[in-house]
């Protein structure tokens, strides 16, 4: 890594000219802190940036991107959360600049029209805290409350309350986006004079369609510096009541308006059908299909307890559906919805969980729907292999989940056995759902170098064969699978080429232009 | 560390026993960081304001991820694996030392990831000291400590001045049931003398047979320990233990949270078997035993700052168990004072914001230290309280130092000061 | 070879036309957009034919204007630069009604009347715009993001995924339909570009040959209330309060002129009703769904009564003593317009021009005041200005529509209304109203203030359609 060449010095000096010395670093001890993604297979993420910069405003970001374009150095950005693997530096690319937007942390709320305007370094937990003052919540993704609310909504898929509030792609309202050219494009209502941030569409074709699909752009088309996201009304207390000291703390939502319901089902099909019926009845503030592991690992306040409680959870939970009747309009709504939950569970062969099990799960799940505070526990056993499914209809989930089991089970061990996890996140009253079939993995060099790549290859092949447009897209650039999906890598490649002709905006993620250019003409 | 290959043969997952039963191992802890970033934030159940949701002063101030638990984990892993050294990364020392060692990250990491990062960082500091990589300012302080037996770079002879004219036993001359340890920060700062005098008066009011060491007292070694000077710590701990032994001391009471932490958490390993109380702990006991009566009204709306060493850093890590520290005792004493109204801040107990005095940052990075204190003062004033009370002389001093002089200052007290008013 | 003969060789002579009368028919609609004739009309029957026509057009740089709908109000289907009209009136297959996963898959020529008739058989519906013309294409309507009447969901888009013929004649599938042959893929998010890019594009970026869209189960029982308001300001707080707690299903706000037009059989009845009706009427529909419908209605009713008592408004079973108004609204809310003769929007004078945009409920009063001022300036009687406010997404935002009736044969009146229309539009635009679908003359107004957005769109257009063959002259292209 040419930390001391003339070009490095030139770029460093110019970055300092833009931001000031205290907000630019090329110190290896500082760079190291942005080099490691510990969540996924490290083979995706072993590079170290040459510069870390801390812009304080959209104008700063514009200047950095213009500089990058002038001197043709690559850059990427992430804020707070767990997806370092989507944006850290890649070996073989010199002068990589990593943009840490920590100083961009402004948050404003329009409580009447229910949205928050956020810069990248505002977390979901912060929006929750401010929103609850007005009876509003944001959506929390699988990565937890410490995640950036901007990043979640422009890159995530689903969250705890997506059952009622929809996939996160739908949450983006007005948006301010710095293109690789350094130009700022404002969309939705921001495009009108005096328009403000309240709405999302257009004008005309909606450029949010460039920003993300199920696969987001991960900064390959520039950097979103500010966005308005939807907040959702709910009958919350203004402050979350708590009791005790972590990790033994308890938090509560009032039972009159928040009625948790948990049930086992005889099969994946039965629980999917129950979820379908719940969707038809349009009840519930949240509904999830969780695997036993999801409950087990969150609930355990330590690794020791995780292993000690293994039999308890696996013997008591099976094909689990968890959810909550929320009384938005009144206590009677919560009561009504709870009755409907129970009807549907009974009609579909489900068995309500009660007693100690209910208490334990209520304590864990109910407050976490709006303040997910234990999420990171899922990483405690070393790591996870994500076997995504097909983010599509319930029928597709029921079809695709068993294929993920078959694919991954043959790797147990070295993968940990989670007994056919059947997690999926139903969104929009079950019209779509996002299956996430996770298996635990060892955090070892042997796994990274020997096992991981083989599993990855199989997952990619499966995605091609089964035509599943899924989370496996994250495993690498679309080049690997695009030919099976209407040559989407070429389509995206053309977009990338047009907006970022020098291929410097997070150059290897989503589409690998170097590889693409070897076979395609641009 | 176990490997997947071995795992396959043994048919267990994960193979490494560390995942099944936690034990402290530097590389395993560093490797165990999943970059979840919880270390930068308070417990999300408790977030009530965007403005007061950060828990890590160094990350908030220095901003680069290196200045967070996550970043230090990455750095530690790189150092232990031999990928970075002091030549290739001259900023290593800066990263480890620009940290209050307050334990905010520690509480977050214990909550979700079953690890104790502060212990790791303190060990890394010890390594840096061994390797001669400590800040110059720390070397100067330690040099003075070696000469003057205190962390304040003040003449040893002045240590007992606070008690001049005070009617209290000197345990080197006559025995007492309880030794009151004044601590470096209070002994050499006149602003703190009321705390020391009030402590003695309160104890005496409850007819406690109390004595002091006066000019013969020496540093507890806590701050040397936090700076990574393990040798100095051990030397001072041994000296104190010997001194107490010679003076027949069975019980030590202190109003210094650093001293209390060192006496309770570090001294037993050096051979101490004296009984140790924080002054508030002792006062609470006296109230419960009806030996101390707080009758005067002290009409005041106050907010309480949890000192790190008294709070979460007191925790002896037991995976899965509550991150306990002395959270309730100070609050109980406040509740016992007639007229006092307690308004809690947004960050308290295990997720409290630090005062900025700890970890050697006051000595080496005073701008950071004062900023940290100002952040806390801002939070305190946001509660509507008239005064901020605490239970640590280091905290109190740092808050006083950080007052901006703009005429809108909070009043700062130790809880003992209010107890004294209530007598 | 002529375009006609080329297309004849692709589609067969029966499927193309350059008959002057036919061309004239495609040259205009009821908007102010300047008429222009196409060179010919191609009646395509399947995606393969679409591909071939597009391929030909792209090779020869012949403009193509897709036209799914026989009914057009906004000028989007007028071939601004001539060329080929791609008429989808023969692609009318309802390819799938999926009652398990609640979606339909349809070809572009499927009309609202056709689709709803089929959905009635299985007790479902696709949320339609207010009294939509029965012959309007469902695909056009939903791609153009016309608002539906149901604000209870936090997501308002009805359109899900689609099959697209791109300007270079390649096939592309949006959202999770991207997997080849993944026809039941219904998630609008797949790869980039996602479905959204093509919405509001007026057929300038790709030609949809099928699309999936949300369907819902019909309520098992309904109960409709009306709230009569004297002033526009009075509709705001009840709406915020009711929608925020997610009460009801359909919810809409109409002024007297708008409601009268919807209810009247002719101009005389319109005038009579307009004068009798309250200035503003809010209609809120409580619905029972699949389980315990009576219990659902009961709690909703009670909660609604509580809000009425707190905010101080009356919940009525009708307004202006109109008999069975609830019955009328059952129809209005879940069926396309089913009247005979003149379409309801044109009932007052034979023509109507709507200004529509998005804003927030708290700004509705000031927009209404501004539009009224401009109307007065142009001597347009405010009593005939129709107003329709459609809250969306729990009241987060609302669609506002101001309608101005005129006699299309009265040139002077049309000119006057055109002046009013543009001035009021500009006033609204400068106040912050979002014209998310910049039709006709609005495109200049909107895009001249959004230079970066325009350059982004032009970059995209250049990638997909470097020869600018798809509906040239529309939007900023």
């Amino acid at each position: 890594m040419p930390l001391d060449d003339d070009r490095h010095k030139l770029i460093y000096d110019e970055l300092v000219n833009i931001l000031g010395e205290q907000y630019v670093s090329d110190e290896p001890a500082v760079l190291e802190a942005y080099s490691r993604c510990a969540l996924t297979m490290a083979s995706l993420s072993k590079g170290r940036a040459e510069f870390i910069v801390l812009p304080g405003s959209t104008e700063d970001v514009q200047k950095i991107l213009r500089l990058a374009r002038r001197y043709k150095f690559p850059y990427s950005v992430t804020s707070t959360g767990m997806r370092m693997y989507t944006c850290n530096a890649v070996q073989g690319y010199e002068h990589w600049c990593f943009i840490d937007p920590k100083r961009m942390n402004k948050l404003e709320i329009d409580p009447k029209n229910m949205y928050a305007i956020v810069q990248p370094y505002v977390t979901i937990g912060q929006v929750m805290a401010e929103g609850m003052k007005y009876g509003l919540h944001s959506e929390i993704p699988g990565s937890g409350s410490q995640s950036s609310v901007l990043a979640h909504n422009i890159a995530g898929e689903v969250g705890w309350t997506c059952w009622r509030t929809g996939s996160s792609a739908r949450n983006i309202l007005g948006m301010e986006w710095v293109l690789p050219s350094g130009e700022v494009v404002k969309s939705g209502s921001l495009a009108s004079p005096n328009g403000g941030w309240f709405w999302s569409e257009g004008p005309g074709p909606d450029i949010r369609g460039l920003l993300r699909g199920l696969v987001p752009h991960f900064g390959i088309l520039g950097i979103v510096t500010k966005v308005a996201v939807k907040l959702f009304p709910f009958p919350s207390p203004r402050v979350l009541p708590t009791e005790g000291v972590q990790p033994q703390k308890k938090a509560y939502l009032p039972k009159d308006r928040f009625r948790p319901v948990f049930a086992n089902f005889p099969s994946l099909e039965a629980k999917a059908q129950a979820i379908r019926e719940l969707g038809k009845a349009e009840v519930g503030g949240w509904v999830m299909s969780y695997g036993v592991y999801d409950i087990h690992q969150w609930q355990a306040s330590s690794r020791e307890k995780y292993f000690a409680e293994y039999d308890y959870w696996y013997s008591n939970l099976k094909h689990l559906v968890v959810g909550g009747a929320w009384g938005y309009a009144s206590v009677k709504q919560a009561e009504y919805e709870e009755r409907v939950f129970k009807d549907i569970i009974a009609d579909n062969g489900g068995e309500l969980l009660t007693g100690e099990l209910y208490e334990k799960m209520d304590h864990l799940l109910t407050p976490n729907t709006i303040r997910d505070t234990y999420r990171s526990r899922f990483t405690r056993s070393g790591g996870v292999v994500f076997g995504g499914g097909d983010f599509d209809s319930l029928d597709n989930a029921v079809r695709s989940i068993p294929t993920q089991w078959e694919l991954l089970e043959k790797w147990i061990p070295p993968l940990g056995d989670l007994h056919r996890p059947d997690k999926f996140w139903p969104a929009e009253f079950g019209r779509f759902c996002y299956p996430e079939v996770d298996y635990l993995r060892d955090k070892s060099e042997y796994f990274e170098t020997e096992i991981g790549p083989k599993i990855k290859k199989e997952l990619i092949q499966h995605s091609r064969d089964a035509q599943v447009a899924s989370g496996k897209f994250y495993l690498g650039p679309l080049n690997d699978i695009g030919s099976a999906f209407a040559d989407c890598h070429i389509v995206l490649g053309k977009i990338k080429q047009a907006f970022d002709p020098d291929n410097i905006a997070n150059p290897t993620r989503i589409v690998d232009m170097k590889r693409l250019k070897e076979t395609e003409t641009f | 560390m176990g490997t997947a290959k071995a795992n396959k043969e043994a048919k267990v997952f994960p193979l490494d026993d560390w995942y099944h039963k936690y034990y402290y191992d530097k590389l395993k802890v560093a490797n165990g960081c999943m970059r979840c970033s919880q270390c930068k934030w308070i417990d999300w159940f408790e977030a009530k304001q965007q403005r007061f949701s950060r828990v890590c002063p160094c990350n908030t101030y220095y901003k680069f991820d290196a200045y967070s638990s996550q970043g230090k984990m990455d750095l530690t892993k790189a150092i232990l694996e031999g990928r970075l050294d002091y030549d290739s990364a001259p900023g290593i020392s800066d990263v480890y030392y620009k940290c209050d060692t307050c334990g905010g990250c520690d509480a977050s990491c214990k909550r979700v990831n079953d690890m104790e990062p502060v212990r790791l960082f303190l060990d890394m500091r010890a390594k840096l000291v061994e390797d001669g990589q400590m800040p110059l300012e720390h070397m100067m302080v330690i040099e003075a400590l070696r000469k003057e037996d205190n962390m304040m770079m003040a003449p040893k002879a002045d240590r007992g001045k606070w008690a001049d004219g005070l009617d209290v036993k000197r345990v080197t001359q006559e025995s007492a049931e309880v030794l009151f340890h004044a601590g470096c920060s209070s002994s050499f700062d006149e602003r703190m003398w009321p705390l020391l005098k009030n402590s003695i008066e309160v104890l005496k009011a409850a007819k406690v047979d109390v004595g002091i060491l006066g000019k013969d007292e020496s540093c507890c070694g806590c701050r040397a320990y936090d700076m990574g000077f393990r040798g100095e710590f051990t030397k001072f701990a041994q000296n104190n233990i010997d001194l107490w032994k010679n003076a027949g001391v069975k019980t030590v009471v202190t109003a210094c949270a650093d001293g209390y932490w060192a006496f309770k958490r570090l001294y037993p390993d050096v051979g101490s078997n004296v009984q140790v109380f924080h002054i508030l702990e002792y006062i609470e006991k006296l109230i419960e035993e009806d030996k101390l009566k707080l009758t005067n009204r002290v009409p005041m709306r106050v907010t309480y700052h949890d000192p790190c060493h008294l709070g979460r850093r007191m925790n002896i890590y037991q995976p899965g168990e509550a991150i306990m520290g002395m959270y309730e005792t100070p609050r109980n004493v406040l509740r016992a004072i007639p007229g006092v109204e307690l308004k809690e801040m947004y960050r308290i107990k295990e997720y409290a914001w630090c005062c900025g005095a700890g970890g050697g940052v006051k000595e080496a990075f005073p701008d950071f230290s004062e900023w940290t204190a100002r952040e806390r003062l801002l939070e305190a004033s946001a509660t509507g309280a008239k005064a901020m009370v605490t239970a640590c002389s280091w905290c109190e001093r740092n808050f006083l130092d950080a007052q901006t002089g703009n005429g809108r200052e909070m009043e700062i007290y130790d809880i003992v000061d209010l107890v004294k008013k209530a007598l | 070879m002529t375009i006609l003969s080329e297309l004849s060789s692709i589609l067969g002579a029966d499927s193309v036309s350059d008959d002057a009368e036919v061309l004239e028919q495609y040259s205009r609609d009821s908007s102010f957009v300047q008429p222009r004739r196409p060179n010919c009309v191609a009646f395509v029957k399947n995606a393969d034919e679409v591909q071939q026509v597009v391929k030909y057009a792209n090779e020869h740089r012949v403009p193509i204007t897709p036209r799914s709908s026989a009914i057009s109000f906004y000028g989007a289907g007028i071939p601004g630069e001539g060329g080929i009209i791609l008429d989808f009136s023969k692609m009318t297959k309802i390819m799938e009604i999926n009652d398990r996963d609640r979606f339909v898959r349809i070809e572009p020529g499927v009309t609202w009347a056709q689709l709803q008739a089929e959905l009635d058989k299985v007790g479902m519906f696709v949320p339609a715009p207010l009294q939509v013309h029965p012959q309007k294409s469902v695909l056009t309507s939903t791609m153009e993001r016309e608002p539906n009447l149901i604000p209870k969901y936090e997501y308002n888009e009805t359109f899900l995924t689609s099959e697209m013929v791109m300007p270079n004649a390649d096939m592309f599938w949006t959202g999770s339909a991207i997997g080849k042959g993944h026809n039941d893929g219904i998630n609008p998010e797949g790869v980039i570009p996602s479905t959204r890019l093509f919405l509001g594009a007026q057929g300038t970026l790709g030609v949809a040959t099928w699309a999936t869209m949300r369907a819902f189960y019909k309520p098992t029982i309904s109960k409709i209330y009306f709230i009569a308001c004297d002033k526009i300001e009075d509709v705001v707080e009840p709406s915020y309060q009711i929608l925020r707690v997610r009460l009801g299903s359909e919810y809409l706000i109409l002024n007297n002129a708008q409601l009268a037009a919807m209810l009247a059989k002719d101009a005389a009845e319109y005038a009579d009703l307009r004068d009798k009706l309250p200035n503003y009427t809010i209609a809120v529909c409580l619905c029972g769904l699949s389980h315990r419908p009576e219990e659902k209605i009961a709690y909703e009713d009670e909660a609604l009564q509580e809000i009425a008592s707190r905010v101080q408004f009356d919940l009525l079973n009708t307004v202006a003593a109109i008999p069975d108004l609830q019955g009328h609204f059952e129809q209005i809310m879940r069926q396309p317009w089913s009247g005979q003769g003149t379409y309801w929007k044109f009932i007052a004078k034979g023509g109507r021009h709507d200004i529509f945009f998005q804003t927030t409920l708290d700004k509705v009063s000031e927009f209404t005041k501004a539009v009224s001022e401009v109307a007065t300036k142009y001597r347009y009687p405010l009593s005939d200005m129709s107003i329709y406010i459609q809250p969306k997404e729990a009241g987060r935002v609302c669609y506002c529509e101001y309608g101005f009736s005129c006699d299309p044969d009265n040139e002077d009146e049309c000119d006057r209304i055109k002046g009013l229309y543009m001035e009021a539009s500009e006033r609204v635009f400068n106040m912050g109203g979002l014209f998310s679908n910049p039709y006709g003359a609005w495109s200049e107004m909107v895009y001249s203030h959004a230079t970066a957005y325009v350059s982004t769109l032009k970059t995209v257009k250049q990638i997909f359609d470097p020869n600018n063959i798809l509906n040239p002259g529309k939007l900023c292209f």
Side-chain angles (χ1 to χ4, degrees), chain A residues 111 113 134 170 194 203-205 209 214 230-231 276 282 332 339 343 392 395 428-429 431 467, chain C residues 100-102 145 152-154 157 176 180 186 190 214 240 244 292 295 302 396 430 436 447 453:
Chain A
N113 299 305
Y134 308 103
R170 300 193 184 282
N194 308 307
L214 170 59
K230 295 177 188 174
L231 298 177
R276 191 187 312 279
E282 297 189 356
K332 285 189 176 162
R339 288 193 291 276
D343 289 349
D392 216 301
D395 275 341
E428 303 183 11
F429 287 127
R431 191 180 305 272
Q467 292 281 294
Chain C
R100 287 171 62 76
D101 290 325
R102 290 167 281 165
R145 306 181 288 226
K152 70 176 168 180
Y153 303 112
E154 291 286 2
E157 301 102 322
S176 60
K180 283 178 187 164
I186 57 168
R214 295 165 195 283
Y240 272 126
R244 198 174 167 115
R292 301 176 183 261
E295 290 177 42
E302 187 178 314
R396 179 176 292 111
N430 287 314
S436 52
Y447 288 126
Y453 202 90

Side-chain angles (χ1 to χ4, degrees), chain A residues 102 130 248 303-304 373 443, chain B residues 31 50 65 111 114 320:
Chain A
K102 218 174 256 100
E130 295 294 332
Q248 301 286 342
R303 290 186 188 87
E304 285 86 338
T373 203
K443 198 172 184 182
Chain B
N31 191 55
Q50 185 208 10
D65 275 355
R111 167 167 56 85
D114 300 3

Side-chain angles (χ1 to χ4, degrees), chain A residues 55-308:
Chain A
S57 65
T58 300
E59 291 72 27
D60 284 352
V61 174
Q62 285 181 276
K63 288 175 189 167
I64 294 164
L65 266 53
R66 285 191 183 123
L67 186 74
R69 195 157 199 182
R70 177 173 300 279
Y71 294 120
K72 297 187 174 31
F73 59 87
Y75 57 84
S76 53
V77 62
T78 195
S79 38
T80 165
M82 302 182 80
R83 273 193 177 162
M84 197 64 184
Y85 65 98
T86 64
C87 52
N88 58 353
V90 171
Q91 285 176 338
Y93 285 77
E94 291 184 354
H95 308 303
W96 194 297
C97 176
F98 187 90
I99 299 169
D100 176 349
K102 218 174 256 100
R103 296 166 64 211
M104 298 175 72
N105 55 8
K106 290 197 178 67
L107 162 65
E108 294 169 56
I109 286 180
D110 181 335
K112 206 163 183 68
N113 299 305
M114 301 187 293
Y115 60 87
I117 307 162
V118 292
Q119 288 186 315
Y121 208 76
V122 174
T123 67
I124 291 163
Q126 290 177 311
V127 174
M128 288 285 187
E130 295 294 332
M132 269 177 69
K133 294 174 184 172
Y134 308 103
L136 298 168
H137 73 88
S138 181
E139 180 195 65
I140 302 187
S143 48
S145 299
Q146 81 285 12
S147 305
S148 155
V149 68
L150 181 149
H152 165 55
N153 285 297
I154 63 172
E157 300 85 33
V158 286
W160 277 95
T161 51
C162 65
W163 171 254
R164 192 174 273 271
T165 58
S167 76
S168 55
R170 300 193 184 282
N171 294 345
I172 303 161
L173 299 172
M175 180 175 70
E176 179 186 273
W177 177 359
V178 183
L179 299 173
S181 63
E183 192 174 22
V184 177
V185 58
K186 296 182 178 186
S187 68
S189 48
L190 278 179
S192 301
N194 308 307
W197 295 83
F198 66 91
W199 198 237
S200 50
E201 292 162 344
D206 192 335
I207 63 164
R208 288 178 303 162
L210 292 176
L211 185 73
R212 62 160 301 160
L214 170 59
V215 183
H217 80 4
F218 285 144
I220 70 165
L221 299 175
I223 295 172
V224 178
T225 49
K226 206 171 181 183
V227 70
V229 296
K230 295 177 188 174
L231 298 177
F232 309 106
F234 79 130
S236 76
R238 295 306 181 247
V239 171
L240 188 67
T242 62
E243 184 184 286
V245 172
Q246 287 286 18
Q248 301 286 342
K249 186 170 285 176
K250 292 192 174 177
Y252 305 92
L253 285 171
K255 276 284 184 293
D256 59 346
R257 296 278 189 135
F258 297 88
R259 304 285 178 97
V261 184
F262 315 123
N264 282 331
F265 284 87
S267 64
L268 169 61
E269 289 75 10
K271 80 166 166 180
Q273 184 56 30
I275 287 171
R276 191 187 312 279
E277 293 293 323
L278 290 168
K280 199 169 163 183
E282 297 189 356
V283 292
W286 65 287
V287 172
M288 299 269 203
S289 159
Y290 273 142
V292 179
Y293 171 67
D294 301 293
I295 306 299
H296 177 202
Q297 52 90 9
W298 284 332
Q299 207 273 341
S301 59
S302 70
R303 290 186 188 87
E304 285 86 338
K305 287 186 181 168
Y306 171 79
F307 290 107

